[in-house]
Amino acid sequence: MNKMHDKIVATATQLFEARGINASGVDLIIRESGVAKATLYKYFPSKNQLIISYLRDKSDRLYTWLEENLIDKKKDSLEVLLALCDLFELWLTKPEFHGLPFHIASVEFPEANHPINLYSAELSKELQLYFSKIAKKAKIKDPETLGQQLMIIFEGAGLVEGLSPGTGAALRAKKAAVTLIKSST
């Protein structure tokens, strides 16, 4: 994108993850990023647009990381689904993991029709479709159902790991997902 755009998103990301989205006001983001208010509003006419950009960036980074780590796997085999489970366990247990960003955003903006809540739901559905797409390539009988089941498992593990890191939820989720995948072939 643009260097200034990226700087603002990077600063917002640090603040949102350290303080929370609502606790990180526009003035704080401006001060911490060192940009002028006009510059921030040039790229993000509203805080909601900045939050959406943050959420999109976090999702894109996850998909890029997954694809880079799945590249050596056979894309049309069960092997890629099992590798995906390993990757999610790893991602959920990284020290910098503080919860799924779209979960956090939906909690901070709980109104069903709020643009952030709606976008968070869209990102959750997008991840479910990602799981389903991989399941379909692996020739799973009902890839949509498996995609949703994997989403339930890993979203739940993400919530538990975000609240209580190191509890083993990610490993247990991976084991449950592997069992589910093997029973779905």
Side-chain angles (χ1 to χ4, degrees):
M1 272 239 154
N2 173 294
K3 192 174 176 180
M4 202 57 73
H5 173 279
D6 294 347
K7 180 179 183 177
I8 295 166
V9 172
T11 301
T13 297
Q14 290 173 337
L15 292 169
F16 293 164
E17 292 179 356
R19 296 172 166 239
I21 297 170
N22 283 320
S24 302
V26 171
D27 290 337
L28 178 62
I29 294 166
I30 289 167
R31 187 173 58 249
E32 292 292 318
S33 65
V35 301
K37 188 176 247 185
T39 301
L40 183 132
Y41 284 112
K42 173 184 172 187
Y43 294 103
F44 306 101
S46 71
K47 185 177 177 188
N48 283 348
Q49 288 177 329
L50 176 57
I51 296 165
I52 287 170
S53 188
Y54 151 73
L55 293 171
R56 178 78 266 154
D57 183 66
K58 292 294 284 189
S59 291
D60 289 347
R61 288 176 189 269
L62 172 62
Y63 293 125
T64 298
W65 180 76
L66 289 171
E67 289 301 312
E68 286 171 354
N69 286 284
L70 291 173
I71 202 157
D72 293 334
K73 308 295 179 206
K74 292 182 180 178
K75 295 285 184 185
D76 60 348
S77 73
L78 196 60
E79 181 184 338
V80 75
L81 274 171
L82 299 175
L84 186 65
C85 293
D86 290 334
L87 290 172
F88 261 85
E89 178 196 9
L90 179 62
W91 181 59
L92 296 174
T93 57
K94 287 183 173 192
E96 62 270 18
F97 181 81
H98 302 292
L100 297 166
F102 58 82
H103 273 178
I104 295 165
S106 68
V107 168
E108 289 205 41
F109 300 91
E111 303 84 26
N113 290 322
H114 191 284
I116 302 304
N117 191 299
L118 292 169
Y119 193 67
S120 295
E122 187 179 313
L123 292 175
S124 176
K125 181 70 174 169
E126 180 181 282
L127 187 55
Q128 179 181 324
L129 290 172
Y130 179 81
F131 289 143
S132 296
K133 180 180 87 174
I134 291 174
K136 186 175 184 177
K137 287 181 180 179
K139 298 177 181 48
I140 296 297
K141 293 174 195 162
D142 186 356
E144 289 78 20
T145 297
L146 181 62
Q148 186 178 50
Q149 291 168 328
L150 292 175
M151 189 65 187
I152 292 166
I153 290 170
F154 287 116
E155 277 197 58
L159 183 60
V160 174
E161 286 291 344
L163 292 171
S164 303
T167 59
L171 175 61
R172 290 182 189 95
K174 178 182 87 169
K175 288 179 179 179
V178 167
T179 300
L180 186 61
I181 290 166
K182 289 180 178 180
S183 71
S184 297
T185 56

